[in-house]
Amino acid sequence: MKPYDGEGFAGKALRERGGTVYRFDREQLRLERGGEFRAFPIAWLFGAGHFARTPVLSVDGRWVEHRLSWYAAPNRLSLTPGHSPQPSSSWEESVGVVQSEKNAARCFGCHMTANRPGVHCESCHGAQGEHPVAKTIRRDRSVAACAGCHRSPLREYASPAPEMEDPLSVRFAPVGLTVSRCYVGSRRAKQPLDCVTCHDPHADAGPRASYDAQCLSCHVRRARAACPRGPECASCHMPKSTPLPYLTFTDHRIRKPD
Amino acid sequence: MFTLPLLLLLAQLDLYEQGTAYLRAGRLPEAEAALRRHLEAHPGHWEALANLGAVLSRREDYAGAIVQYRKALALAANLAPLRLNLGLAYFKQREWGKALPEFDLFLAAQPGHRQALQLRALTLLELERYPEAAEAFSALRPADATVDIGLATAYLRLGRPAAAQSILAPLLERGDSPEVLLTVGQALMAEDRLEEALEAFGKARRLSPALPTLRLHMGAIHWRNKRVAEAIAEWRGELAQHPESAEAKFTLGSALAQSGGDRMEAERLLRASLKQKPRHAKANYQLGKLLWQAKRNGEAVSCLEAAVNADPEYREAHFLLGSVYRALGRNPLAEREFAAVKRISAKQLSAQQDLFSEPQ
C-alpha cells in the first residue's frame, strides 16, 4: 500500500458496457457518464503491485474501494474482486463501494505494513511493552495469526474441497491449508505443519521449488519412489488457480493431483 | 295473481339483492349467507358468484374467493374486472405465479389501469423477476411512495443500492413512513452501512412495531456483526409476529443450523418454509446441508437435487450434491455435479471479462 502516484493507472482508460468511461492520471480518476464529467482525487493504492493494485478514494470523509483495479500480469485495468459484474448505474457505483468505518479499519489493518493500524511486530508477537520480548510465536497460533488477514474457513462448516465449492476461496490460503491431510494429520506431530513451515513471515514468498525441502522432510522415501514428476512438488500437489480474471493463486489445499 | 314458481323466483332474486345490499353495507356474514342461498337455486348466476367472491375476499378467505371467481369466469370469460379480482385474490394468497397471468389478461383489456399495473409490478418483485419489476415500476413514475419503494426495492435486489438511495432520498425528506424507513435501511445495509441501517430500522419499529420483514432485517445486521443471540432473538420475534412468513421460518431455521443451535428445530423450520415455498433453492440447500451433516445422505440428496433444479446456477448446491453422490457411491452423478461447479465458475469469470473494453 502506498499513496496514489498513478503507477499502473496513469494514462489508462476503460469503457464500461453501458457507457461509463474511466480515465486516470497521476492524481485522480476522471469519470464520464452520459456526456457529463467528474473528477475524484485518489488517496491510496492498496496492494504491493506484484499482482494487482486497487485505488482507495476518500469521498465526503468516507473510504471508497474503487471499482477498477490494475492487474500486473496483463498490465491492464479490470473489475476489482467482489464488485458487481453488472454495468454501474450511478456515479456512486462507478466510483466504487463505500466502506463502513469498521470495514475500512480492517482494510487498512491488513494492507498497511510496519505501521499502525496495520501489520506490525505486535500483530503477531503480541503486545510486549517497549519492545517485543518473545522471539517466536507459538506454532499452533501461527495459522490463526496469519488467518487474521489471509482469512480462515467458516468454523461451522469446513468443506473438504473448498476450491470446488467456492473457487474464490483459493485467495485465502488458510482455508485450503486447514483441510489438507498434511495439516490435519500433523497436528500431533512434534513440528506440525503450519504457515511458517514454508513461509518466512518476514520475507516475500520464494520460488515454488524452494518449498520441496519442506515436503520431503516428511515424504522423503515414498515421494521419491512414487512421484514420476520430479522437483516442484507444489506444481501438482498445490496447483495454481485463476478464479478471477488476471489473478492466479496457489491453492493451499495440499492433495493428490486430480 | 302470481303463480307459485314466479313467487319463488322473486324470493330468490330478493336474496341476491339482499346479499348485494349487505355487501355494500359491509355486513359480510349476512351477505355471504344470502348469496350462498341464492346460488343454491341459481348456480349459473355469474354476478352472484362474483359478488360472493368479493365477500369472501373481504373476509380474507382468499382460497374461497378464488373458487367463486373461477366459477364466474367460466360463465363470463370476457369480463375483465373479474380477472383483476381473481389476480388480487391470488396476490393476497401469496400465489404470485398464478396472480401474474390474471393481471396480464386484465391489462390486455384495460392497458392503462394503474392499480393493475402497480399490482403487476409488485407481483414481479415477489417473483424475484427484478429487471422486469424495475421496468414496470419505472413506467409508473411519477407516482405515490408505494411505486417509489417498489422501484427502490427492485434496484436493491438487482444489486444497485446507489440507484435505490437516489429514489429514497426525496421520500425521506417528505416525512417518516415506516415502509420508507424499512427500504432505506435495506439500501444502507446493501452499502454495508450497518449501524445507520439499524437506526433506520429502529425508527421504523417505533412507528410500526409489527411491520413485516422489519425484524428479519434487524436480525440480519446482528448476524453480520456476529451477534448471533441478538439475531436469533429478532428472527424469533418476526416469526411470532408473522407466523405465516416462510422467509422468517427459513431465516431462523438456517441460522439455527449454522450456529450450532437446536438442529431439530432448525429442520422443522426449514421443512415448514419448504412446505410453503417448495422451490426455495436456499432453503432446500440449507436443509440438505443439515441432513448431510447429520449423515442422512439419502434424505439430503432429494433436498440438494431440489436446490439445483430451482437454481441451476447454484454452485455451492452442485458441489454439496456432488459430494453426497460420491459418499453414496453414485460416482457418475457426482462427476456431473462437479462439472457443473466448474462450468458455473468459468461462466462467472467470463461475465467479468466481457464488461469492459478500450474506449474509442
Side-chain angles (χ1 to χ4, degrees):
Chain A
M1 180 184 146
K2 63 175 183 174
Y4 180 76
D5 58 4
E7 189 184 349
F9 287 85
K12 287 195 174 68
L14 213 55
R15 176 185 293 277
E16 189 175 66
R17 205 171 65 226
T20 305
V21 178
Y22 302 77
R23 295 178 199 280
F24 296 86
D25 60 28
R26 293 208 162 276
E27 290 166 353
Q28 61 189 358
L29 155 72
R30 284 179 298 133
L31 274 179
E32 181 191 341
R33 287 181 61 86
E36 198 185 329
F37 295 84
R38 289 191 197 172
F40 298 89
I42 302 174
W44 297 97
L45 273 180
F46 275 40
H50 300 309
F51 304 105
R53 288 189 194 278
T54 301
V56 172
L57 301 87
S58 174
V59 182
D60 300 331
R62 301 166 70 197
W63 293 112
V64 182
E65 180 188 64
H66 185 43
R67 184 164 166 72
L68 297 182
S69 291
W70 168 77
Y71 294 92
N75 183 23
R76 63 165 295 170
L77 308 180
S78 190
L79 193 70
T80 298
H83 286 238
S84 166
Q86 298 301 317
S88 56
S89 63
S90 66
W91 290 100
E92 290 80 0
E93 286 180 17
S94 299
V95 175
V97 173
V98 177
Q99 299 294 328
S100 65
E101 224 168 282
K102 197 172 159 188
N103 254 3
R106 280 208 296 257
C107 301
F108 281 94
C110 286
H111 282 279
M112 191 181 270
T113 50
N115 217 325
R116 290 167 200 270
V119 181
H120 51 91
C121 308
E122 292 182 3
S123 307
C124 302
H125 294 280
Q128 300 287 340
E130 286 296 305
H131 190 270
V133 291
K135 194 175 175 185
T136 56
I137 60 170
R138 277 175 51 180
R139 293 188 72 106
D140 60 351
R141 289 186 189 160
S142 81
V143 175
C146 298
C149 287
H150 294 274
R151 315 270 181 97
S152 53
L154 293 172
R155 204 184 308 163
E156 44 95 12
Y157 167 60
S159 170
E163 79 287 353
M164 285 289 285
E165 189 166 358
D166 177 7
L168 291 180
S169 70
V170 298
R171 292 173 70 196
F172 311 119
V175 174
L177 179 71
T178 52
V179 294
S180 299
R181 195 171 159 197
C182 294
Y183 176 85
V184 177
S186 72
R187 289 299 81 201
R188 292 174 187 277
K190 194 174 172 189
Q191 288 209 323
L193 176 72
D194 57 17
C195 306
V196 297
T197 306
C198 300
H199 297 291
D200 176 352
H202 303 107
D204 285 343
R208 297 196 119 207
S210 68
Y211 302 115
D212 285 4
Q214 277 74 35
C215 300
L216 294 172
S217 68
C218 288
H219 296 281
V220 59
R221 285 184 192 153
R222 283 179 62 193
R224 286 219 169 117
C227 180
R229 299 295 295 273
E232 254 194 50
C233 310
S235 61
C236 295
H237 296 277
M238 298 173 72
K240 283 188 182 289
S241 165
T242 304
L244 291 162
Y246 321 121
L247 280 182
T248 298
F249 301 89
T250 294
D251 186 345
H252 277 67
R253 184 167 74 88
I254 308 165
R255 58 191 186 261
K256 288 181 183 171
D258 294 329
Chain B
M1 287 291 284
F2 292 121
T3 59
L4 188 60
L6 186 58
L7 280 172
L8 280 172
L9 182 65
L10 283 174
Q12 298 295 350
L13 281 177
D14 276 347
L15 278 173
Y16 170 67
E17 295 294 340
Q18 270 178 33
T20 306
Y22 280 135
L23 170 60
R24 288 201 192 103
R27 291 170 62 177
L28 301 178
E30 291 92 334
E32 183 181 342
L35 288 168
R36 282 197 189 282
R37 279 178 56 204
H38 169 75
L39 282 163
E40 281 171 15
H42 296 273
H45 187 182
W46 65 263
E47 286 165 299
L49 289 164
N51 282 353
L52 178 57
V55 171
L56 294 173
S57 195
R58 284 177 62 180
R59 299 193 78 183
E60 298 185 5
D61 175 6
Y62 302 114
I66 287 166
V67 171
Q68 302 307 325
Y69 287 140
R70 284 224 160 276
K71 282 185 189 170
L73 275 167
L75 297 163
N78 293 327
L79 204 73
L82 270 179
R83 294 279 171 204
L84 181 59
N85 285 354
L86 176 59
L88 190 57
Y90 278 131
F91 184 91
K92 296 275 191 183
Q93 184 87 335
R94 305 175 74 84
E95 291 189 59
W96 321 113
K98 289 181 179 167
L100 189 64
E102 300 304 332
F103 294 141
D104 283 338
L105 282 169
F106 174 76
L107 284 164
Q110 296 190 30
H113 195 286
R114 283 192 71 82
Q115 189 204 358
L117 287 167
Q118 199 164 324
L119 281 165
R120 183 178 179 277
L122 287 166
T123 306
L124 288 167
L125 198 61
E126 297 291 352
L127 285 168
E128 301 180 2
R129 288 163 60 173
Y130 302 124
E132 293 163 84
E135 199 180 316
F137 280 119
S138 293
L140 282 163
R141 296 185 85 202
D144 59 16
T146 314
V147 167
D148 287 344
I149 291 171
L151 181 57
T153 308
Y155 279 144
L156 279 177
R157 299 290 181 271
L158 286 167
R160 292 168 60 182
Q165 281 278 38
S166 69
I167 292 166
L168 294 169
L171 286 179
L172 271 178
E173 280 172 23
R174 275 189 233 163
D176 280 356
S177 139
E179 288 82 7
V180 169
L181 286 163
L182 175 64
T183 318
V184 169
Q186 290 177 70
L188 291 166
M189 271 181 83
E191 289 187 347
D192 214 22
R193 291 156 63 181
L194 300 184
E195 295 312 314
E196 291 167 78
L198 204 53
E199 202 177 311
F201 292 144
K203 277 186 194 168
R205 186 185 215 162
R206 283 192 286 281
L207 293 168
S208 176
L211 187 66
T213 78
L214 179 62
R215 299 187 75 175
L216 277 183
H217 293 297
M218 296 179 87
I221 292 180
H222 290 310
W223 184 260
R224 278 167 67 173
N225 280 328
K226 303 196 188 313
R227 300 191 293 255
V228 174
E230 288 93 327
I232 287 178
E234 290 295 349
W235 291 331
R236 283 197 192 284
E238 176 80 20
L239 192 56
Q241 283 172 333
H242 305 284
E244 79 293 351
S245 165
E247 201 57 25
K249 289 170 199 164
F250 159 69
T251 309
L252 180 57
S254 299
L256 291 170
Q258 289 176 53
S259 63
D262 183 337
R263 285 176 177 268
M264 281 173 68
E265 187 186 3
E267 184 179 338
R268 184 180 56 75
L269 287 164
L270 288 168
R271 286 194 190 281
S273 81
L274 282 166
K275 201 170 178 184
Q276 289 170 262
K277 288 190 169 183
R279 285 182 56 78
H280 193 301
K282 286 183 179 168
N284 273 301
Y285 171 68
Q286 285 297 343
L287 182 57
K289 195 156 124 179
L290 191 70
L291 295 167
W292 168 73
Q293 286 168 333
K295 302 191 190 311
R296 290 156 63 187
N297 283 341
E299 293 169 81
V301 161
S302 57
C303 296
L304 294 167
E305 284 174 342
V308 299
N309 284 334
D311 180 1
E313 301 300 300
Y314 199 160
R315 184 172 53 200
E316 291 86 349
H318 280 292
F319 171 75
L320 194 53
L321 180 56
S323 303
V324 175
Y325 278 145
R326 185 169 279 177
L328 291 170
R330 297 160 73 177
N331 288 333
L333 289 174
E335 293 311 317
R336 187 191 69 188
E337 295 307 316
F338 293 141
V341 173
K342 286 179 183 163
R343 173 186 60 76
I344 296 163
S345 304
K347 194 172 161 188
Q348 289 172 350
L349 194 60
S350 74
Q352 285 191 27
Q353 284 169 318
D354 292 342
L355 186 60
F356 298 105
S357 61
E358 301 293 329
Q360 306 274 314

